Amino acid sequence: MKYIQGVIILLVLSVFCVGGLVADNHGTGEVLRIAWAEWPPADYLQELSKDFTKKTGIGVEIVQIPWPNFQEKVSISFSGRSELYDIVIGDSQWLGVNSKGGHYIKLTDWIDRNIEVSEIYGPAMTAFAEYPKGSSEYWALPAEVDANGYVYRTDLFEDSAEQKAFQDKYGYQLEPPKTYKQLRDIAEFFTRPDQNLYGIATYFSKEYDGITMGFQQVMWSFGGSYGDPKTYKVDGYLNSEDSLKALEYYKGLVAFSPPDAPNYYWQETLEAYKSGKVAMAMDYFAFLPGAIDPKQNPAYHDKSGFFIAPAGPKGQYISIGGQGMSISSYSKKEDIAKQYMKWFIQKPVQEKWAKLGGFTPHKEVLQSDTFLNATPYNKAFAASFPYLRDFWAIPEYAELLEACQTNWSAAIVGAKDPKKALDAIVRKHEEIFEDAGYYNE
Amino acid sequence: METEPTEFNNPPRVGSFARTSTGLSDYQVKMVFIMPTMILLILMNIFPLLWSLVLSFYKYRVNRPDLPPEFIGFKNYVRLLSDPDMWGYFQTTAYFVVTAVSAQFLIGFGVALLLNREFRYKGLVTTLILLPMMLSPVIVGLFWRFLFKSDTSGLINYFLLPLLNFVQATPIPWTTDPKFAMVSIVIVDTWMWTPFMMLISLAGLSAIPKYLYEAADVDRASNWFKFRWITLPLVSPLLMIAILFRTMDAFKMFDIVYVLTREGGPGTATETVSMNLYKLAFRSFNTGKSCAMAYILLIVIVALSNIYVKYLNQLKREA
């Protein structure tokens, strides 16, 4: 018995020792560690980086962090001045806090000397690299440009019986919606709980930035906004009549969504589409490879069409996604990191990046036929570009986001009156701006 | 007859000044052994505790080294205690603590009463019942997420379907409706922690001397009488300890809420104080305010524990 116990203890110790050695090997040598979210583009970048390793002999490890923990994990490592990550591919909203907080290295001079900015898609440079906006101070290089878009079931939309029934009921032709009114009608039309079919899957979740990214584009398109970016005045903007109408509209979509829709974020939305539960699904384009992959979506991969977020009564705006590539101030490999970023933004590398499935920020590549035809959704993605808008990118964005997430989530499930929810966000946002001293400037 | 002093008949003096062969006194040896642990405890527990108390009086964000900490006295505490949302989180937490701990106590004690007898495979049955509390809360949250799906693809709704059809009701939106979301959390926590209650209760029950029941049988006492006047008084101190542990733990409920109802949703239906504290500390990085909130939570738990301990002492005196 004692012998067996001894063997077990020895085995456990060996596992720890081997684990420790493996971990040590990761920490030494010429390896660039890049932190990014856990999603398909991170896999593409890992693949792409093999070329960099071949050319320079420097290894590249893409550390993939699950989306809901992405921000906090990176922020905690920054707060501890950790050397864990050399490059961080962070959300556009992080620019404020990480530049002001001294966590990102300022790249303005380096970009001036080494990067041909005119080759990069202008709005991407502003959204993912510049802070404060319009200052020409750069803290990143755009890595992945993304936008919210829609995937729909062509087998349903192109079915003649469905088309006739839709025409009879709504008086116009069934086709991918161009306005939010049409989107609602189509969602209502396909909602058939007895067939386990629903009209739409979109972001309603309280997780991370889920419902905010789904709803804000509707709010903007209905005429609402987060506030005045110059005065930081929020009252009358975020809780305006237009914002209220938008929230009531978005809440109304819950009735045309599967029963567990209030928990839907990117993963659940895509799953609902792949399982044939919904006629349309909204997601960031970067998540859509799953919709056309025969392995992941055996039933509808070849029956999927794509369209851009529709227009509202007062315009057309779309939530921007994507991230910029920044160098951590605590990295000991700044030179290698710069070498990697310079390599990454070159046209041939960007072409390969686009071919692999990455959404390139390189203007020429972005507008090329090769890119537009690389996937069935790239055209819709490129068409979304003129309409992209972003959430606040100031250092207090996380608190502002939290207030939106909590109150909008409460409003769509009926736990809070939409007007009260908007007023509550206004109060919180004003409190945050006041506390941060924006009203004193 | 005088004997030569040896190490056997003349052992070293016991006390502070006794010395070992290395020249260290017993006291010094004790300190050598204790100090590493003491230093570790001070560094890992005491220092953070005191440091966070200091920080709770400052306007400070750990992710903003460019903003020096600003002393603001009790402002963080005042703001938290005057925030109506905060009281909402406390109410949610209190509702959860009361319902979950009560359910765990009733079911756990009931199962312990059933198991407190000899039967075949008793050991195996007891081990199987204990399994849920050995699982990681995140894993538990994840698989209950699938069981609680709001349509009939969730196993719970699937099994309830005949009943739901009979009463002409739709599948229950377990985690997506504010009315059911907290019930789901209570069910999962009860599933996970009832075995703990059962285990402590069983330990208490098996420690009750058998002769007391035999004497009661001689007096032809009823089962209720035996339960009320023998079982309950003798097992209650242990039950109180179990309830104390579970209350303290339930007050800090975080992991299942984080995973099952997506960070305390929908809305704030399941947002406990700990969930909100986590967001304040690690999402918003409002370090000073989150430290103040952690201290408010600590004070509430210490106050509650004191009430329990006083009652426990009273029970002991009565016994």
Side-chain angles (χ1 to χ4, degrees):
Chain A
M1 190 63 193
K2 274 190 176 173
Y3 173 75
I4 295 170
Q5 280 177 351
V7 169
I8 291 170
I9 292 169
L10 211 68
L11 274 173
V12 171
L13 286 175
S14 320
V15 168
F16 279 112
C17 289
V18 172
L21 284 175
V22 170
D24 275 356
N25 281 343
H26 272 289
T28 55
E30 207 79 306
V31 176
L32 199 63
R33 284 172 65 90
I34 302 178
W36 204 1
E38 190 178 17
W39 63 335
D43 294 329
Y44 310 150
L45 189 64
Q46 184 71 75
E47 184 60 32
L48 183 75
S49 300
K50 282 178 186 166
D51 291 353
F52 179 76
T53 306
K54 220 180 278 173
K55 194 179 163 193
T56 61
I58 300 164
V60 177
E61 187 191 351
I62 312 294
V63 184
Q64 297 195 31
I65 305 166
W67 268 110
N69 308 106
F70 183 31
Q71 180 232 334
E72 73 211 49
K73 213 158 177 190
V74 171
S75 297
I76 289 168
S77 88
F78 278 159
S79 302
R81 292 165 165 70
S82 163
E83 299 164 20
L84 197 59
Y85 311 122
D86 302 302
I87 290 178
V88 169
I89 305 183
D91 268 344
S92 52
Q93 305 102 296
W94 301 7
L95 276 174
V97 67
N98 288 334
S99 59
K100 288 253 182 186
H103 307 304
Y104 283 167
I105 285 177
K106 195 179 197 173
L107 295 172
T108 314
D109 295 340
W110 178 78
I111 285 176
D112 280 349
R113 285 196 302 270
N114 295 280
I115 307 291
E116 196 52 68
V117 177
S118 59
E119 286 179 1
I120 300 172
Y121 179 66
M125 202 64 197
T126 308
F128 304 124
E130 190 181 35
Y131 189 83
K133 303 298 171 198
S135 65
S136 296
E137 297 286 346
Y138 297 115
W139 305 86
L141 266 188
E144 168 87 355
V145 187
D146 201 358
N148 262 337
Y150 285 80
V151 55
Y152 70 99
R153 295 247 315 260
T154 51
D155 59 321
L156 291 174
F157 276 64
E158 288 164 12
D159 183 277
S160 52
E162 298 285 7
Q163 285 180 336
K164 187 178 179 313
F166 186 86
Q167 177 82 41
D168 291 346
K169 188 172 179 187
Y170 296 98
Y172 61 95
Q173 204 184 330
L174 174 63
E175 55 183 19
K178 292 193 172 56
T179 65
Y180 277 114
K181 188 188 171 305
Q182 290 173 358
L183 182 97
R184 190 211 161 275
D185 289 347
I186 297 169
E188 183 186 48
F189 177 71
F190 283 116
T191 299
R192 301 157 192 177
D194 51 324
Q195 297 171 22
N196 198 24
L197 178 68
Y198 297 86
I200 189 168
T202 182
Y203 293 0
F204 289 121
S205 172
K206 200 187 168 190
E207 264 180 299
Y208 187 43
D209 59 2
I211 189 168
T212 304
M213 295 300 120
F215 170 66
Q216 66 181 11
Q217 55 188 16
V218 180
M219 178 179 78
W220 291 325
S221 304
F222 272 66
S225 80
Y226 282 111
D228 184 341
K230 285 189 185 115
T231 61
Y232 295 95
K233 190 173 161 10
V234 184
D235 197 10
Y237 293 86
L238 194 50
N239 54 353
S240 66
E241 258 322 289
D242 293 328
S243 299
L244 182 61
K245 275 183 197 157
L247 188 54
E248 276 163 353
Y249 169 86
Y250 204 65
K251 185 184 171 187
L253 291 180
V254 177
F256 312 127
S257 307
D260 48 352
N263 282 340
Y264 279 12
Y265 193 22
W266 68 269
Q267 210 164 5
E268 293 82 3
T269 304
L270 193 59
E271 284 307 319
Y273 178 76
K274 290 192 291 188
S275 64
K277 228 190 262 184
V278 291
M280 302 177 283
M282 189 213 73
D283 221 330
Y284 276 109
F285 280 104
F287 291 116
L288 294 182
I292 53 163
D293 180 357
K295 279 184 198 150
Q296 290 185 52
N297 187 11
Y300 307 106
H301 69 276
D302 53 351
K303 302 179 186 77
S304 296
F306 303 89
F307 62 92
I308 72 166
K314 295 195 174 170
Q316 187 169 21
Y317 298 96
I318 299 171
S319 291
I320 198 169
Q323 292 83 23
M325 205 178 259
S326 301
I327 301 173
S328 161
S329 301
Y330 315 108
S331 166
K332 294 273 188 286
K333 297 168 189 163
E334 188 184 326
D335 290 341
I336 301 175
K338 283 178 175 166
Q339 191 185 343
Y340 179 84
M341 283 164 67
K342 194 173 174 181
W343 166 83
F344 175 78
I345 209 71
Q346 290 168 357
K347 193 183 166 196
V349 179
Q350 285 298 305
E351 278 170 339
K352 188 167 181 190
W353 173 232
K355 218 174 276 175
L356 283 167
F359 287 144
T360 173
H362 196 282
K363 212 191 292 178
E364 211 178 311
V365 180
L366 196 62
Q367 287 156 354
S368 69
D369 285 344
T370 323
F371 174 77
L372 292 175
N373 298 319
T375 71
Y377 46 80
N378 275 15
K379 274 185 188 141
F381 167 68
S384 305
F385 271 31
Y387 311 111
L388 296 181
R389 252 197 196 185
D390 203 0
F391 188 76
W392 293 105
I394 56 174
E396 292 73 23
Y397 92 93
E399 280 172 278
L400 300 169
L401 180 67
E402 190 51 46
C404 295
Q405 286 290 105
T406 304
N407 286 288
W408 283 333
S409 164
I412 61 119
V413 294
K416 214 171 210 173
D417 173 69
K419 177 79 177 110
K420 281 184 183 158
L422 290 172
D423 287 340
I425 300 172
V426 167
R427 263 199 317 278
K428 283 270 177 202
H429 280 198
E430 283 182 343
E431 211 177 283
I432 294 162
F433 288 136
E434 170 87 58
D435 201 39
Y438 285 94
Y439 296 137
N440 305 333
E441 285 169 9
Chain B
M1 191 180 75
E2 261 187 38
T3 53
E4 280 293 306
T6 66
E7 58 177 312
F8 298 108
N9 61 18
N10 191 19
R13 278 181 300 154
V14 178
S16 317
F17 301 103
R19 289 194 176 274
T20 62
S21 55
T22 56
L24 290 173
S25 68
D26 278 1
Y27 177 75
Q28 284 166 329
V29 171
K30 264 192 289 184
M31 291 313 282
V32 167
F33 278 104
I34 291 169
M35 278 323 276
T37 312
M38 289 296 287
I39 291 168
L40 206 70
L41 273 175
I42 290 168
L43 283 178
M44 306 292 286
N45 288 7
I46 311 294
F47 173 72
L49 199 71
L50 296 176
W51 185 236
S52 58
L53 179 66
V54 172
L55 289 181
S56 72
F57 299 109
Y58 281 83
K59 184 177 171 182
Y60 172 62
R61 289 170 190 273
V62 72
N63 67 339
R64 293 291 304 276
D66 57 312
L67 299 176
E70 181 192 339
F71 183 77
I72 51 169
F74 284 93
K75 211 170 166 184
N76 282 328
Y77 289 91
V78 173
R79 273 190 159 187
L80 283 167
L81 294 172
S82 55
D83 183 351
D85 290 345
M86 193 50 57
W87 290 107
Y89 302 137
F90 268 103
Q91 279 173 7
T92 306
T93 310
Y95 173 79
F96 166 73
V97 171
V98 171
T99 48
V101 176
S102 306
Q104 287 157 31
F105 166 68
L106 291 173
I107 301 170
F109 187 47
V111 174
L113 284 171
L114 288 174
L115 288 177
N116 189 33
R117 65 198 68 193
E118 289 309 315
F119 60 91
R120 220 174 157 194
Y121 304 124
K122 182 184 171 181
L124 180 70
V125 171
T126 313
T127 310
L128 286 176
I129 291 175
L130 291 179
L131 275 179
M133 74 174 202
M134 296 173 190
L135 298 173
S136 151
V138 175
I139 305 293
V140 170
L142 276 176
F143 73 67
W144 276 93
R145 198 191 254 200
F146 294 109
L147 294 177
F148 272 145
K149 269 182 163 279
S150 297
D151 53 13
T152 47
S153 65
L155 215 59
I156 307 281
N157 274 339
Y158 177 77
F159 284 126
L160 288 175
L161 201 59
L163 182 71
L164 293 167
N165 285 339
F166 181 71
V167 295
Q168 293 185 328
T170 52
I172 300 168
W174 288 106
T175 57
T176 51
D177 187 312
K179 288 194 288 292
F180 291 101
M182 186 45 96
V183 176
S184 313
I185 299 287
V186 170
I187 289 173
V188 176
D189 196 65
T190 303
W191 177 84
M192 195 174 174
W193 290 109
T194 294
F196 174 78
M197 278 294 186
M198 188 275 292
L199 194 68
I200 306 272
S201 306
L202 198 58
L205 287 170
S206 50
I208 300 173
K210 292 278 180 286
Y211 64 81
L212 291 175
Y213 292 107
E214 287 162 8
D217 285 339
V218 169
D219 290 339
R220 301 182 70 187
S222 68
N223 281 338
W224 168 249
F225 184 92
K226 283 188 274 184
F227 175 74
R228 173 68 187 85
W229 297 107
I230 300 173
T231 309
L232 214 51
L234 290 178
V235 85
S236 50
L238 262 182
L239 289 181
M240 283 307 293
I241 289 172
I243 290 173
L244 172 67
F245 283 167
R246 279 307 306 140
T247 305
M248 284 176 6
D249 210 34
F251 226 97
K252 295 179 284 181
M253 165 52 75
F254 168 76
D255 27 34
I256 293 173
V257 167
Y258 183 81
V259 179
L260 186 66
T261 54
R262 272 73 165 186
E263 305 177 6
T268 52
T270 58
E271 187 145 344
T272 56
V273 181
S274 295
M275 185 70 240
N276 190 259
L277 173 59
Y278 161 79
K279 285 182 185 172
L280 202 58
F282 298 112
R283 282 276 166 82
S284 306
F285 280 90
N286 202 333
T287 315
K289 204 171 170 184
S290 60
C291 287
M293 192 167 162
Y295 266 88
I296 293 172
L297 189 62
L298 180 72
I299 290 164
V300 171
I301 293 175
V302 168
L304 268 178
S305 307
N306 263 325
I307 297 170
Y308 274 113
V309 171
K310 273 193 177 162
Y311 186 59
L312 189 67
N313 288 337
Q314 193 187 325
L315 279 176
K316 276 184 184 167
R317 275 196 301 273
E318 283 170 6

